[in-house]
Amino acid sequence: MSFQDCPGLRLQDLTRKDIELYVQVILAASPAYQRLAKRDPTSTSVFVDKAVEKADGVLLWVVLVVRSLLNGIRNRDSIPDLLNRLRGLPRELEPLYDHLLERIEPGFYPWASKVFQIMKFSERRHAVLQGHSTEGPEPLSILALCLAMDDGLELEAVQKWTLLQVNGICEDTAFQLTATCAGLLETRQSGDLTPESKVSVSIRILILI
Protein backbone atom coordinates (compact mmCIF):
# COMPACT_ATOMS: atom_id res chain seq x y z
CA MET A 1 0.00 0.00 0.00
CA SER A 2 2.91 2.34 0.73
CA PHE A 3 4.02 2.21 -2.92
CA GLN A 4 0.60 2.32 -4.59
CA ASP A 5 1.03 5.90 -5.82
CA CYS A 6 4.63 5.43 -7.01
CA PRO A 7 5.67 4.82 -10.63
CA GLY A 8 5.35 1.15 -11.61
CA LEU A 9 6.35 -1.28 -14.33
CA ARG A 10 4.00 -3.34 -16.51
CA LEU A 11 5.53 -6.58 -17.77
CA GLN A 12 3.54 -6.46 -21.02
CA ASP A 13 5.03 -3.04 -21.84
CA LEU A 14 8.58 -4.30 -21.34
CA THR A 15 8.23 -7.55 -23.28
CA ARG A 16 5.92 -6.47 -26.10
CA LYS A 17 8.72 -5.83 -28.62
CA ASP A 18 10.34 -9.20 -27.89
CA ILE A 19 7.03 -11.03 -28.21
CA GLU A 20 6.20 -9.17 -31.42
CA LEU A 21 9.59 -10.12 -32.86
CA TYR A 22 9.10 -13.77 -31.80
CA VAL A 23 5.68 -13.97 -33.48
CA GLN A 24 6.95 -12.34 -36.68
CA VAL A 25 10.05 -14.56 -36.93
CA ILE A 26 8.24 -17.85 -36.22
CA LEU A 27 5.38 -17.09 -38.60
CA ALA A 28 7.71 -15.81 -41.32
CA ALA A 29 9.54 -19.16 -41.26
CA SER A 30 6.33 -20.93 -42.33
CA PRO A 31 5.89 -21.24 -46.12
CA ALA A 32 2.10 -21.44 -45.61
CA TYR A 33 2.14 -18.13 -43.71
CA GLN A 34 4.34 -16.57 -46.38
CA ARG A 35 1.71 -17.43 -49.00
CA LEU A 36 -1.02 -15.98 -46.80
CA ALA A 37 0.93 -12.78 -46.11
CA LYS A 38 1.70 -12.30 -49.79
CA ARG A 39 -1.97 -12.59 -50.65
CA ASP A 40 -3.25 -10.36 -47.83
CA PRO A 41 -0.40 -8.41 -46.14
CA THR A 42 -2.64 -5.91 -44.34
CA SER A 43 -4.81 -8.54 -42.68
CA THR A 44 -1.83 -10.67 -41.63
CA SER A 45 -0.26 -7.61 -40.00
CA VAL A 46 -3.46 -7.00 -38.01
CA PHE A 47 -3.51 -10.69 -37.12
CA VAL A 48 0.04 -10.51 -35.68
CA ASP A 49 -0.86 -7.37 -33.69
CA LYS A 50 -3.89 -9.08 -32.14
CA ALA A 51 -1.83 -12.15 -31.18
CA VAL A 52 0.78 -9.93 -29.48
CA GLU A 53 -1.89 -7.87 -27.74
CA LYS A 54 -3.70 -10.92 -26.37
CA ALA A 55 -0.41 -12.40 -25.10
CA ASP A 56 -0.39 -9.54 -22.55
CA GLY A 57 3.35 -9.87 -22.02
CA VAL A 58 3.41 -13.63 -21.37
CA LEU A 59 5.93 -15.26 -23.71
CA LEU A 60 4.95 -18.78 -22.66
CA TRP A 61 1.36 -18.08 -23.73
CA VAL A 62 2.38 -16.79 -27.13
CA VAL A 63 4.69 -19.79 -27.77
CA LEU A 64 1.73 -22.14 -27.35
CA VAL A 65 -0.67 -19.95 -29.29
CA VAL A 66 1.64 -19.47 -32.28
CA ARG A 67 1.96 -23.25 -32.57
CA SER A 68 -1.83 -23.57 -32.61
CA LEU A 69 -2.16 -20.80 -35.20
CA LEU A 70 0.50 -22.41 -37.41
CA ASN A 71 -1.61 -25.57 -37.49
CA GLY A 72 -4.52 -23.49 -38.74
CA ILE A 73 -2.33 -21.76 -41.31
CA ARG A 74 -1.05 -25.12 -42.60
CA ASN A 75 -4.69 -26.20 -42.91
CA ARG A 76 -5.24 -23.19 -45.22
CA ASP A 77 -7.49 -21.38 -42.73
CA SER A 78 -8.47 -17.87 -43.82
CA ILE A 79 -7.60 -14.76 -41.79
CA PRO A 80 -11.17 -14.62 -40.33
CA ASP A 81 -10.83 -18.30 -39.35
CA LEU A 82 -7.47 -17.62 -37.70
CA LEU A 83 -8.86 -14.61 -35.83
CA ASN A 84 -11.74 -16.76 -34.58
CA ARG A 85 -9.22 -19.37 -33.45
CA LEU A 86 -7.25 -16.66 -31.65
CA ARG A 87 -10.37 -15.26 -29.97
CA GLY A 88 -11.30 -18.76 -28.78
CA LEU A 89 -8.00 -19.35 -26.97
CA PRO A 90 -8.06 -18.77 -23.18
CA ARG A 91 -5.88 -15.99 -21.79
CA GLU A 92 -4.79 -17.96 -18.72
CA LEU A 93 -2.09 -20.62 -19.14
CA GLU A 94 -3.69 -23.56 -17.35
CA PRO A 95 -7.03 -23.32 -19.25
CA LEU A 96 -4.93 -22.94 -22.41
CA TYR A 97 -3.14 -26.25 -21.69
CA ASP A 98 -6.54 -27.90 -21.25
CA HIS A 99 -7.82 -26.32 -24.46
CA LEU A 100 -4.83 -27.57 -26.49
CA LEU A 101 -4.94 -31.08 -25.05
CA GLU A 102 -8.67 -31.27 -25.81
CA ARG A 103 -7.85 -30.63 -29.48
CA ILE A 104 -6.01 -33.95 -29.73
CA GLU A 105 -8.23 -36.32 -31.69
CA PRO A 106 -9.53 -39.20 -29.52
CA GLY A 107 -8.03 -41.77 -31.86
CA PHE A 108 -4.57 -40.41 -31.04
CA TYR A 109 -5.00 -40.51 -27.24
CA PRO A 110 -3.12 -43.80 -26.68
CA TRP A 111 -0.13 -42.74 -28.81
CA ALA A 112 0.01 -39.23 -27.33
CA SER A 113 -0.37 -40.55 -23.77
CA LYS A 114 2.49 -43.00 -24.29
CA VAL A 115 4.88 -40.42 -25.74
CA PHE A 116 4.09 -37.95 -22.94
CA GLN A 117 4.78 -40.65 -20.34
CA ILE A 118 8.11 -41.56 -21.97
CA MET A 119 9.15 -37.92 -22.07
CA LYS A 120 8.03 -37.40 -18.47
CA PHE A 121 10.11 -40.40 -17.35
CA SER A 122 13.08 -39.12 -19.35
CA GLU A 123 12.78 -35.67 -17.75
CA ARG A 124 12.61 -37.18 -14.26
CA ARG A 125 15.62 -39.38 -14.97
CA HIS A 126 17.45 -36.32 -16.23
CA ALA A 127 16.64 -34.46 -13.01
CA VAL A 128 17.79 -37.38 -10.82
CA LEU A 129 21.06 -37.81 -12.68
CA GLN A 130 21.74 -34.09 -12.59
CA GLY A 131 21.83 -34.41 -8.84
CA HIS A 132 24.99 -36.49 -9.26
CA SER A 133 26.51 -34.78 -12.26
CA THR A 134 27.24 -31.23 -13.32
CA GLU A 135 25.96 -31.83 -16.84
CA GLY A 136 23.36 -34.59 -16.79
CA PRO A 137 22.39 -36.81 -19.74
CA GLU A 138 21.66 -35.63 -23.26
CA PRO A 139 17.97 -34.99 -24.08
CA LEU A 140 16.17 -37.92 -25.71
CA SER A 141 16.92 -38.30 -29.42
CA ILE A 142 14.16 -38.91 -31.94
CA LEU A 143 15.63 -42.37 -32.62
CA ALA A 144 15.59 -43.22 -28.89
CA LEU A 145 11.96 -42.12 -28.73
CA CYS A 146 11.13 -44.32 -31.75
CA LEU A 147 12.69 -47.34 -30.04
CA ALA A 148 10.95 -46.60 -26.73
CA MET A 149 7.55 -46.29 -28.42
CA ASP A 150 7.67 -49.81 -29.95
CA ASP A 151 7.13 -52.36 -27.16
CA GLY A 152 7.46 -55.37 -29.42
CA LEU A 153 10.69 -54.33 -31.11
CA GLU A 154 13.45 -56.93 -31.06
CA LEU A 155 17.17 -56.12 -31.13
CA GLU A 156 17.66 -58.49 -34.04
CA ALA A 157 15.15 -56.55 -36.14
CA VAL A 158 16.77 -53.21 -35.26
CA GLN A 159 20.22 -54.47 -36.28
CA LYS A 160 18.86 -55.18 -39.78
CA TRP A 161 17.58 -51.66 -40.34
CA THR A 162 19.23 -49.69 -43.10
CA LEU A 163 20.02 -45.98 -42.71
CA LEU A 164 17.15 -45.23 -45.09
CA GLN A 165 14.74 -47.16 -42.86
CA VAL A 166 16.04 -45.44 -39.72
CA ASN A 167 15.60 -42.00 -41.30
CA GLY A 168 12.08 -42.88 -42.47
CA ILE A 169 11.02 -44.13 -39.03
CA CYS A 170 12.42 -41.00 -37.37
CA GLU A 171 10.66 -38.72 -39.88
CA ASP A 172 7.34 -40.53 -39.29
CA THR A 173 7.69 -40.16 -35.52
CA ALA A 174 8.62 -36.47 -35.78
CA PHE A 175 5.57 -35.89 -37.97
CA GLN A 176 3.34 -37.70 -35.46
CA LEU A 177 4.70 -35.52 -32.64
CA THR A 178 3.61 -32.43 -34.55
CA ALA A 179 0.24 -33.90 -35.50
CA THR A 180 -0.81 -35.44 -32.18
CA CYS A 181 0.87 -33.68 -29.25
CA ALA A 182 -0.80 -30.26 -29.43
CA GLY A 183 2.52 -28.48 -30.01
CA LEU A 184 3.79 -29.45 -26.55
CA LEU A 185 6.66 -31.58 -27.87
CA GLU A 186 9.10 -30.72 -30.62
CA THR A 187 12.26 -31.90 -32.33
CA ARG A 188 15.25 -29.59 -32.13
CA GLN A 189 17.70 -29.46 -35.00
CA SER A 190 19.63 -26.76 -36.78
CA GLY A 191 19.11 -28.32 -40.21
CA ASP A 192 17.45 -31.45 -41.55
CA LEU A 193 16.05 -34.02 -39.16
CA THR A 194 18.52 -36.79 -38.25
CA PRO A 195 18.23 -39.78 -35.88
CA GLU A 196 20.28 -37.75 -33.38
CA SER A 197 17.88 -34.77 -33.42
CA LYS A 198 16.71 -34.10 -29.88
CA VAL A 199 13.12 -34.24 -28.67
CA SER A 200 12.21 -31.67 -26.08
CA VAL A 201 9.25 -30.32 -24.21
CA SER A 202 8.53 -27.06 -25.99
CA ILE A 203 7.47 -25.62 -22.63
CA ARG A 204 7.94 -26.96 -19.12
CA ILE A 205 4.45 -28.37 -18.51
CA LEU A 206 4.96 -32.13 -18.30
CA ILE A 207 4.26 -31.95 -14.60
CA LEU A 208 0.66 -31.06 -15.52
CA ILE A 209 0.17 -34.13 -17.73
Side-chain angles (χ1 to χ4, degrees):
M1 292 177 62
S2 299
F3 294 101
Q4 63 184 357
D5 296 323
C6 297
L9 298 175
R10 293 187 351 131
L11 178 65
Q12 56 267 42
D13 295 337
L14 298 174
T15 59
R16 181 182 176 89
K17 290 295 183 183
D18 293 327
I19 287 177
E20 186 175 2
L21 179 62
Y22 173 84
V23 173
Q24 290 172 344
V25 169
I26 297 299
L27 291 179
S30 164
Y33 179 80
Q34 292 172 16
R35 287 193 296 269
L36 190 63
K38 188 175 182 180
R39 188 166 64 244
D40 195 350
T42 303
S43 296
T44 48
S45 177
V46 171
F47 166 68
V48 169
D49 289 341
K50 288 188 176 297
V52 173
E53 181 181 347
K54 191 167 182 178
D56 209 21
V58 182
L59 180 60
L60 189 56
W61 186 91
V62 85
V63 168
L64 286 170
V65 167
V66 167
R67 291 179 185 281
S68 176
L69 295 174
L70 280 172
N71 286 334
I73 291 169
R74 282 190 286 265
N75 292 336
R76 303 297 179 96
D77 288 356
S78 65
I79 291 292
D81 291 334
L82 292 170
L83 289 172
N84 284 336
R85 180 188 284 251
L86 184 60
R87 280 191 287 267
L89 293 171
R91 280 183 176 270
E92 299 297 323
L93 282 175
E94 199 157 328
L96 180 59
Y97 298 144
D98 292 337
H99 176 85
L100 293 174
L101 289 170
E102 286 168 2
R103 294 180 68 88
I104 299 175
E105 293 182 28
F108 294 139
Y109 285 167
W111 196 93
S113 175
K114 188 172 183 178
V115 76
F116 278 131
Q117 290 179 63
I118 289 171
M119 291 300 298
K120 186 173 183 178
F121 177 82
S122 176
E123 292 261 313
R124 284 179 174 173
R125 176 177 174 272
H126 190 143
V128 169
L129 291 180
Q130 275 192 321
H132 304 285
S133 167
T134 56
E135 296 182 5
E138 282 288 312
L140 208 62
S141 70
I142 187 67
L143 178 57
L145 180 62
C146 295
L147 297 174
M149 288 293 291
D150 193 338
D151 295 331
L153 197 58
E154 299 288 342
L155 178 60
E156 185 178 345
V158 174
Q159 290 173 332
K160 294 179 181 177
W161 285 354
T162 64
L163 181 58
L164 186 62
Q165 287 175 304
V166 170
N167 288 337
I169 291 168
C170 291
E171 287 173 5
D172 289 345
T173 303
F175 181 84
Q176 285 179 295
L177 283 179
T178 302
T180 65
C181 292
L184 302 178
L185 297 176
E186 62 183 355
T187 52
R188 300 198 319 245
Q189 72 272 351
S190 55
D192 295 335
L193 182 79
T194 70
E196 291 76 31
S197 296
K198 305 305 178 185
V199 180
S200 66
V201 186
S202 57
I203 49 166
R204 296 291 162 195
I205 51 76
L206 278 185
I207 192 170
L208 301 175
I209 298 171

